Amino acid sequence: MAGDTGMAGKVALLLWAQILSLAGAQTTQLLVEPPWRPAVLWDRVTLTCQGSGTAGDTTWYKDGQRWWQEGGEHFTVNERGTYTCERPGSGCSPPVKVSDDQVVLQVPAWALLEGETLTLRCWYRREKSATEVFFYREETELGRLHNGTELSLSPLQLKHSGRYHCKAWVNNGVSWEWEESVPVTVTVHGEHLTAATLTAP
């Protein structure tokens, strides 16, 4: 399943790039692999900066401050924070947050369209174990899983846009307690996705 998700992400990002190219837009993009947001530090996240110019022209920023990183246009993240990159001629990329929270709700990092499937992924640190996970849209419970981490919503509709979070019954090594994720905003786009929609913040 992870392979399929990765391929879908690459296809979606390729289509995104083609639409932007057709529209004549020159924008810098920050791609994340695995393609989930927010990215999590303990998932061996690789960031790749794509834009005009050469890899050596890439300037990286972490938490709003210029940040030097060997390796040019891509690297594996080893610190939590919010990252952006800049390329001459195409400007600064949208930010990518890399989280190190105890429990994180992740959604796909590509644009979500009506009719597609949305996979919600509730992750907790690898050294922890959880027996029960609850998923919410706003304050409405969507479902619960026993010994599972992913919940799928299909087919997506515009009304599925909103803020999602999850809550897990986690063993922290000493005792069991509820851990809750930070909310993540999901935007479902109509069938006719335009370059303007894709580049909107």
Side-chain angles (χ1 to χ4, degrees):
M1 182 173 184
D4 292 343
T5 301
M7 181 58 68
K10 290 179 179 122
V11 169
L13 289 168
L14 178 60
L15 291 173
W16 184 341
Q18 288 173 343
I19 290 170
L20 291 174
S21 176
L22 288 172
Q26 290 291 320
T27 59
T28 301
Q29 296 299 322
L30 187 49
L31 308 185
V32 58
E33 185 65 38
W36 295 90
R37 69 174 177 89
V40 290
L41 186 60
W42 21 274
D43 202 17
R44 287 193 54 78
V45 173
T46 299
L47 298 180
T48 301
C49 190
Q50 291 190 342
S52 63
T54 63
D57 293 332
T58 305
T59 303
W60 289 95
Y61 297 88
K62 177 178 177 288
D63 299 325
Q65 301 294 316
R66 187 171 176 147
W67 180 73
W68 175 252
Q69 173 68 41
E70 296 285 351
E73 67 180 6
H74 62 88
F75 69 97
T76 300
V77 179
N78 58 18
E79 294 179 22
R80 67 182 294 171
T82 300
Y83 293 84
T84 57
C85 67
E86 187 176 18
R87 296 285 277 272
S90 55
C92 219
S93 71
V96 168
K97 179 182 179 183
V98 179
S99 172
D100 194 26
D101 294 344
Q102 300 293 314
V103 172
V104 177
L105 177 75
Q106 292 182 303
V107 298
W110 57 86
L112 297 165
L113 304 180
E114 278 185 296
E116 292 184 336
T117 298
L118 167 62
T119 300
L120 301 172
R121 181 183 187 187
C122 191
W123 263 40
Y124 37 87
R125 287 176 176 271
R126 294 189 189 281
E127 67 269 17
K128 295 177 178 290
S129 60
T131 59
E132 200 165 21
V133 175
F134 291 79
F135 293 86
Y136 300 87
R137 178 183 172 276
E138 307 301 344
E139 297 306 318
T140 302
E141 183 183 322
L142 298 174
R144 70 176 71 179
L145 299 176
H146 297 281
N147 300 313
T149 60
E150 293 185 359
L151 181 72
S152 294
L153 301 178
S154 180
L156 274 181
Q157 300 174 27
L158 293 177
K159 68 179 184 181
H160 288 123
S161 295
R163 288 161 60 84
Y164 290 76
H165 71 280
C166 67
K167 188 165 63 171
W169 184 239
V170 176
N171 186 341
N172 62 15
V174 178
S175 61
W176 289 86
E177 57 188 24
W178 286 107
E179 295 274 4
E180 193 165 345
S181 73
V182 170
V184 175
T185 299
V186 170
T187 302
V188 180
H189 300 278
E191 292 179 10
H192 304 292
L193 188 60
T194 65
T197 304
L198 281 166
T199 57

